[in-house]
């Protein structure tokens, strides 16, 4: 009794101290919480800052490459008179591509005399920072934001630019640069079209709307065809994978620094090397150079390849395929698909196949709007077949999650990834599957929102980092299936992260630290910069405000 009495004041003091600490922390959080109105004002200003146009000299420069600006026009396409004047005024070398492009990979960018910007007819919003080009999957989230902000004309301009890329450059590109002619990015074209079609202000009349869709529909189909080509098939699963049609180091790499960091990491972690390292000399003779061209990359053709050597090791040809596929996926860089994403092309990915399911359902809807009943029936069957394959290979009932499937090794990924919520956004999950996935939120939820996984690696697409697009797709998917409280809680968390960060330094960033709920992103593997801007963060913030401010229950039409 005496001992218990003696300890009581001590415990009371500890409890009081804990209450004081919590109160101080809450006060500090409130002080640093930021003002949503100020965040909103910043977004309003930056749409203009981030907008680029082909008639602006500053937009034609590639800050990532120190060279004379080059602007490429589609082959056999008459140069607009205005662009002739712009090229002269801006001292830009304007030239046509060597031949028309029907599909990705038909032009080998390494054979072009110089890398350059690909012409687009309309203004567009770039992500931020040093970017001067229109990016593939970024553009969907930017279009969402523009639409939410009633910037209808610019939203349609960006969608029309994406369709122009399909018509003249073989598909929606990673971005409109020649060094991206071998790869696309996560397929959001149909979703962009759906945003434009849903806004009555996008068109002056129903006839104009129908004419636009009639032209856009076959281009959307052509862009979908990218993902059913043999190169993009995930073995015999009936699913798709990410795959770049080029070889060796990516052309946008100006030096070997990134690849040297990969080799250095693999040498330091030999037990984690999936086989990415191969033996090779620093200065190979012709015989070895020929071998390395088949086993690694072409040291004679690429200075980046030649310089990617350390301690007798080079990177394998399979690693370079995975590295390129990782960049097509948009998850650059991650350790979920092998170290530095080097095995990305081995996976039927949950995100990609969810996006394609939604794309196919969109094509079904577009076909019906155009009176193409047979087309609509075909797309419904295609989407259903993909959904069945997703259930067979990607759904893991034992863990209640969707998992990426390594079709080369014949097994699912051993670790969770936030893309497990993509099937909810796409409408591909059953009510039971959605509920099971919802119950796994604790694996990803942090103070600032949803982290990519629970596997910290130092890479930017792993824990504790979180991104606007994956937060939006997860939150809107949960909302669509009726988990409104979860959606609003998570929307509030991620919005507060942007508010706090803007209050701290007056910027909105590319990515955030979900554990800290701020922009303190210290990446140690891969790309370290946290770019200021930022287009998709702007767009998602505005969409999250709609969820937070909506008084009526969202639709549950996907929950079937």
């Amino acid at each position: 009794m005496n001992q218990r009495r003696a300890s009581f004041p001590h415990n009371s003091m500890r409890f009081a101290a804990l209450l004081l600490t919590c109160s101080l922390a809450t006060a500090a959080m409130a002080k640093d919480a930021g003002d949503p109105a100020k965040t909103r004002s910043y977004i309003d200003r930056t749409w203009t800052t981030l907008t680029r146009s082909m008639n602006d000299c500053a937009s034609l420069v590639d800050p990532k490459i120190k060279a004379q600006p080059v602007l490429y026009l589609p082959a056999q396409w008459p140069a607009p008179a205005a662009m002739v004047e712009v090229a002269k005024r801006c001292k830009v070398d304007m030239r046509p591509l060597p031949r028309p492009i029907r599909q990705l990979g038909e032009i080998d960018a390494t054979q072009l005399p110089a890398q350059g910007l690909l012409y687009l007819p309309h203004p567009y919003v770039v992500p931020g920072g040093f970017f001067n080009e229109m990016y593939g999957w970024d553009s969907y989230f930017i279009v969402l934001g523009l639409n939410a902000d009633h910037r209808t004309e610019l939203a349609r301009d960006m969608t029309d630019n994406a369709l122009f890329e399909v018509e003249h450059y073989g598909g929606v590109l990673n971005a409109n640069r020649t060094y991206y002619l071998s790869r696309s990015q996560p397929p959001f074209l149909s979703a962009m079209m759906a945003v434009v079609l849903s806004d009555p202000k996008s068109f002056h009349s129903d006839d104009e709307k129908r004419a636009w869709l009639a032209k856009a529909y076959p281009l959307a189909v052509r862009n979908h065809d990218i993902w059913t080509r043999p190169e993009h098939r995930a073995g015999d699963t009936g699913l798709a994978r990410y795959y770049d049609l080029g070889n060796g180091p990516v052309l946008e790499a100006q030096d070997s620094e990134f690849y040297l960091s990969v080799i250095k990491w693999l040498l330091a972690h030999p037990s984690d090397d999936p086989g990415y390292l191969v033996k090779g000399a620093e200065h190979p003779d012709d015989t070895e150079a020929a071998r390395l061209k088949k086993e690694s990359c072409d040291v004679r053709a690429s200075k980046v390849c030649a310089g990617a050597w350390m301690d007798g090791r080079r990177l394998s040809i399979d690693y370079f395929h995975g590295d390129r596929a990782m960049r097509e996926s948009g998850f650059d860089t991650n350790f979920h698909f092998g170290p530095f994403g080097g095995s990305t092309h081995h996976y039927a990915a949950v995100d990609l196949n969810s996006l394609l399911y939604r794309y196919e359902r969109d094509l079904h809807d577009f076909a019906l709007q155009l009176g193409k009943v047979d087309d609509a029936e075909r797309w419904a069957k295609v989407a259903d077949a993909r959904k069945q394959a997703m259930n067979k290979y990607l759904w893991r009932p034992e863990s209640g999650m969707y998992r990426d499937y390594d079709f080369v090794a014949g097994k699912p990924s051993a670790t969770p990834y936030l893309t497990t919520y993509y099937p909810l956004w796409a409408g591909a999950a059953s009510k039971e599957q959605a509920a099971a996935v919802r119950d796994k939120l604790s694996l990803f939820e942090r103070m600032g929102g949803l982290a990519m996984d629970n596997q910290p690696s130092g890479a930017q697409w792993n824990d504790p980092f979180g991104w606007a697009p994956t937060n939006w797709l997860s939150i809107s998917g949960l909302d669509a299936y009726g988990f409104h409280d979860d959606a609003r809680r998570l929307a509030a968390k991620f919005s507060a992260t942007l508010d706090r960060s803007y209050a701290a330094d007056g910027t909105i960033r590319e990515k955030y630290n979900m554990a800290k709920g701020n922009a303190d992103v210290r990446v140690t593997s891969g790309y370290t910069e946290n770019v200021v801007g930022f287009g998709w963060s702007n767009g998602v913030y505005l969409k999250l405000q709609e969820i937070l401010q909506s008084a009526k229950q969202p639709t549950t039409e996907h929950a079937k």
Side-chain angles (χ1 to χ4, degrees):
M1 180 68 71
N2 289 337
Q3 184 178 5
R4 189 175 297 174
R5 284 180 179 174
S7 65
F8 182 76
H10 176 67
N11 289 339
S12 296
M13 291 173 63
R14 288 180 61 190
F15 184 64
L18 179 61
L19 285 176
L20 178 60
T21 301
C22 291
S23 297
L24 291 172
T26 301
M29 286 276 290
K31 181 180 179 181
D32 298 335
D35 182 350
K38 291 182 178 179
T39 306
R40 181 66 181 81
S41 178
Y42 172 90
I43 291 172
D44 189 59
R45 297 192 307 272
T46 53
W47 287 135
T48 300
T49 304
L50 296 174
T51 299
R52 302 289 185 268
S53 173
M54 293 284 164
N55 61 15
D56 177 13
C57 296
S59 299
L60 302 177
V61 176
D62 188 351
K64 302 181 293 303
I65 293 181
K66 296 179 181 179
Q68 174 69 22
V70 179
L71 176 66
Y72 284 94
L73 300 174
Q76 302 174 1
W77 200 73
M83 286 310 304
V84 174
E85 187 277 326
V86 168
K88 183 177 180 180
R89 170 166 53 87
C90 299
K91 297 180 174 57
V92 171
D93 182 7
M94 188 169 68
R95 58 182 72 176
L97 287 168
R99 60 182 176 278
I101 302 173
R102 175 69 185 180
Q103 57 184 5
L104 291 183
E106 288 186 344
I107 284 184
D108 181 355
T110 65
Q111 302 304 307
L112 294 173
Q115 301 304 317
L117 186 70
L118 294 167
Y119 172 81
L120 293 176
H122 305 291
Y124 52 87
V125 176
V126 300
F130 49 76
F131 299 110
N132 255 352
E133 50 278 322
M134 178 175 149
Y135 277 79
W137 74 314
D138 294 69
S139 293
Y140 169 62
F141 303 96
I142 291 170
V143 164
L144 278 178
L146 293 171
N147 179 260
D149 212 12
H150 309 294
R151 298 173 185 260
T152 306
E153 183 176 357
L154 190 51
R156 178 172 166 182
D157 280 344
M158 291 191 65
T159 307
D160 282 335
N161 279 340
L163 292 164
F164 185 90
E165 287 187 359
V166 178
E167 185 174 8
H168 296 286
Y169 306 132
V172 175
L173 302 176
N174 189 151
N176 58 311
R177 296 278 178 194
T178 52
Y179 47 73
Y180 292 136
L181 282 168
S182 62
R183 68 174 178 266
S184 187
Q185 272 206 320
F188 282 101
L189 177 59
S190 70
M192 291 172 66
M193 292 169 56
V195 171
V196 171
L197 290 165
S198 70
D199 189 340
K201 296 182 180 179
S202 296
F203 307 95
H204 294 101
S205 66
D206 289 342
D207 287 344
E208 182 191 2
K209 179 178 179 179
R210 183 179 176 83
W212 183 85
L213 180 58
K215 181 179 179 182
Y217 170 73
L219 293 173
V221 172
R222 189 192 304 181
N223 189 67
H224 176 274
D225 289 346
I226 290 170
W227 305 99
T228 59
R229 290 174 59 178
E231 298 90 346
H232 277 101
R233 293 176 191 162
D236 59 1
T237 62
L239 298 170
R241 65 168 176 173
Y242 290 111
Y243 194 82
D244 183 306
L245 296 164
N247 295 290
V250 292
L251 294 181
E252 64 268 28
Q254 293 298 287
D255 55 45
S256 308
E257 181 180 358
F258 174 80
Y259 296 112
L260 286 171
S261 71
V262 175
I263 297 173
K264 182 178 181 180
W265 189 92
L266 292 169
L267 288 171
H269 302 84
S271 62
D272 295 319
D273 176 15
Y276 297 163
L277 294 178
V278 296
K279 292 182 179 180
E282 182 177 11
H283 304 291
D285 59 21
D286 289 345
T287 299
E288 185 174 6
R291 175 181 67 82
L292 289 173
K293 186 176 180 179
K294 297 179 181 179
E295 297 179 7
S296 176
C297 53
D298 192 341
V299 297
R300 297 289 188 258
S302 168
K303 68 175 184 178
V304 175
C305 171
W309 175 93
M310 184 180 291
D311 294 344
R313 294 293 186 273
R314 292 183 173 275
L315 292 164
S316 71
I317 191 170
D318 194 59
Y319 165 79
F320 283 117
H321 282 305
D323 174 65
R324 285 172 167 269
M326 175 264 292
R327 295 163 193 271
E328 183 173 71
S329 78
F331 297 142
D332 49 338
T333 303
N334 73 84
F335 274 57
H336 178 70
F337 297 106
F340 297 89
S343 296
T344 300
H345 60 313
H346 291 183
Y347 284 86
V350 172
D351 65 294
L352 174 57
N353 287 283
S354 298
L355 297 180
L356 288 172
Y357 175 82
R358 173 72 171 261
Y359 199 132
E360 288 151 3
R361 293 302 309 175
D362 286 339
L363 290 175
H364 163 270
D365 295 345
F366 298 157
L368 283 182
Q369 292 175 47
L370 293 170
K372 298 178 179 292
V373 178
D374 291 344
D375 271 17
E377 291 180 357
R378 179 170 63 86
W379 286 119
K381 291 178 181 177
V382 169
D384 186 60
R386 187 175 303 279
K387 182 177 179 179
Q388 290 183 39
M390 290 172 65
N391 284 333
K392 179 177 180 179
Y393 292 102
L394 306 182
W395 175 247
R396 311 310 303 178
E398 70 279 6
S399 61
M401 300 179 73
Y402 290 90
R403 292 282 181 89
D404 303 296
Y405 183 74
D406 183 342
F407 66 91
V408 175
K411 61 181 181 180
S413 169
T415 58
Y417 213 46
L418 188 57
T419 52
T420 191
Y421 294 96
Y422 275 51
L424 278 65
W425 175 84
S430 67
K431 289 183 179 180
E432 293 74 20
Q433 288 170 324
V437 171
R438 179 262 175 199
D439 289 343
K440 297 297 186 280
L441 278 172
S442 62
L443 293 173
F444 309 98
E445 186 171 352
R446 310 285 186 268
M447 186 188 89
L450 294 169
M452 288 304 301
D453 58 15
N454 59 355
Q455 306 289 319
S457 69
Q460 61 181 9
W461 286 95
N462 291 113
D463 184 50
F465 308 129
W467 299 73
T470 49
N471 268 265
W472 169 250
L473 294 173
S474 302
I475 291 168
S476 60
L478 288 164
D479 206 37
Y481 276 82
F483 302 112
H484 307 308
D485 290 343
D486 294 308
R488 288 167 184 157
R489 181 184 71 254
L490 293 166
K493 283 189 171 188
F494 194 76
S495 295
T497 294
L498 269 67
D499 290 334
R500 275 192 299 272
S501 300
Y502 178 73
D505 68 3
T507 66
I508 288 181
R509 301 279 178 160
E510 177 187 34
K511 52 187 173 283
Y512 291 90
N513 186 318
M514 296 292 91
K516 295 181 178 180
N518 60 25
D520 182 11
V521 177
R522 301 179 185 180
V523 174
T524 58
S525 297
Y527 305 113
T528 59
E529 187 171 356
N530 195 1
V531 181
V532 173
F534 196 84
W536 63 22
S537 299
N538 293 356
V540 166
Y541 183 89
L542 296 181
K543 294 300 292 184
L544 293 177
Q545 299 313 298
E546 290 182 359
I547 285 182
L548 293 171
Q549 295 168 10
S550 176
K552 63 181 182 179
Q553 295 295 317
T555 181
T556 56
E557 62 178 330
H558 290 329
K560 297 176 181 177

